[in-house]
Amino acid sequence: VTYRFTYDENKSTGNLYSLDRNIYSPLLNDTIDQEKRNNSLSLSHTASVIYVEPLNAKMKLEFEYELFSNHNDQLKKTYNFENGSYEAVDLSLSNEFESTKLQNRVGTSLIYEHKKHRFVAGARFRNVEISNKNLISDSTIFQSVNNILPRIRYTYKISQNNRLMVNYNTNSSQPSLNQLQPVRDNTNPNRISLGNPDLKPNFVLARV
């Protein structure tokens, strides 16, 4: 039985100065002079239980359950340089966003061990409830995502220090807060990105 609590708070202030010159049309020259202030807060709780039931001398069953709760809040503000100071808020580049996730994951595996051989085969079922809220526009997007994540692993012990392993594993990870928050990022003015609060967790297949 394990429990883990994570608290992360970050505050940063930075400046962006960019000058783009158009050699064919000086009227299209563009200058960006801004100060960016970011505040973010993340709280997460993870509780898990693993139970192993022996079937015989070579085989056993493993059961697991994990509960994961996460809350993120991020405030991004951009100030344009006007009249000798950075006080004019650029609303198109400012936003406050909140994301809450609740994950339930249950799984079982069959484990076979005999001499130099170890074989594990199982699957996990996961449900994630997600609430993404834009605190500026007061709009919320709710998502409920289900995944079945199978896994297989075979290990052959060649010697005391050498092993041969074949692994088939699936996983699913959630988008970062920066990927979700619907605000433009003009750090690179020639490649401006925009977060998408509709993003869903991805699905990853790994074979070794």
Side-chain angles (χ1 to χ4, degrees):
V1 178
T2 62
Y3 168 76
R4 183 170 64 254
F5 171 73
T6 304
Y7 175 89
D8 184 24
E9 184 176 3
N10 183 52
K11 296 182 180 181
S12 64
T13 301
N15 290 82
L16 171 64
Y17 183 84
S18 173
L19 174 61
D20 286 342
R21 287 194 175 98
N22 190 310
I23 61 176
Y24 299 106
S25 178
L27 295 177
L28 297 179
N29 291 348
D30 184 38
T31 300
I32 299 175
D33 190 359
Q34 297 173 333
E35 182 178 86
K36 296 181 176 293
R37 305 172 191 172
N38 299 330
N39 294 332
S40 63
L41 174 66
S42 177
L43 295 170
S44 65
H45 304 265
T46 306
S48 61
V49 178
I50 297 177
Y51 174 76
V52 179
E53 177 67 26
L55 301 178
N56 53 47
K58 300 177 183 178
M59 300 178 66
K60 53 190 174 184
L61 279 174
E62 181 181 88
F63 302 93
E64 61 175 293
Y65 172 74
E66 181 182 271
L67 176 65
F68 173 74
S69 174
N70 175 252
H71 176 82
N72 289 286
D73 185 274
Q74 184 162 265
L75 173 63
K76 289 187 173 183
K77 279 196 172 183
T78 297
Y79 297 84
N80 293 320
F81 185 78
E82 293 182 7
N83 301 320
S85 64
Y86 297 98
E87 295 298 334
V89 179
D90 191 327
L91 296 178
S92 68
L93 299 172
S94 302
N95 182 263
E96 185 171 8
F97 190 75
E98 183 179 86
S99 180
T100 302
K101 303 179 182 72
L102 180 64
Q103 171 183 288
N104 285 277
R105 190 184 74 187
V106 60
T108 183
S109 298
L110 176 65
I111 303 172
Y112 172 86
E113 290 181 299
H114 181 60
K115 296 183 178 179
K116 296 184 176 184
H117 303 275
R118 190 175 195 272
F119 178 76
V120 181
R124 295 166 174 164
F125 173 78
R126 190 188 77 159
N127 170 262
V128 185
E129 301 285 342
I130 306 170
S131 173
N132 295 326
K133 186 173 184 179
N134 187 334
L135 300 178
I136 301 299
S137 63
D138 195 27
S139 59
T140 305
I141 297 174
F142 294 100
Q143 295 177 339
S144 180
V145 181
N146 296 318
N147 297 111
I148 296 178
L149 307 171
R151 55 177 177 163
I152 298 173
R153 175 179 292 180
Y154 170 72
T155 305
Y156 177 72
K157 186 177 179 181
I158 301 173
S159 64
Q160 186 66 30
N161 299 317
N162 295 286
R163 287 171 173 78
L164 173 66
M165 185 179 70
V166 178
N167 185 45
Y168 174 94
N169 189 46
T170 55
N171 196 12
S172 178
S173 60
Q174 301 168 14
S176 67
L177 197 59
N178 286 327
Q179 292 174 320
L180 293 169
Q181 189 168 11
V183 61
R184 292 188 300 130
D185 182 356
N186 67 336
T187 304
N188 182 350
N190 296 313
R191 190 177 180 180
I192 296 176
S193 61
L194 176 65
N196 179 9
D198 283 312
L199 280 179
K200 294 183 179 180
N202 67 358
F203 183 82
V204 179
L205 170 62
R207 288 173 290 183
V208 179

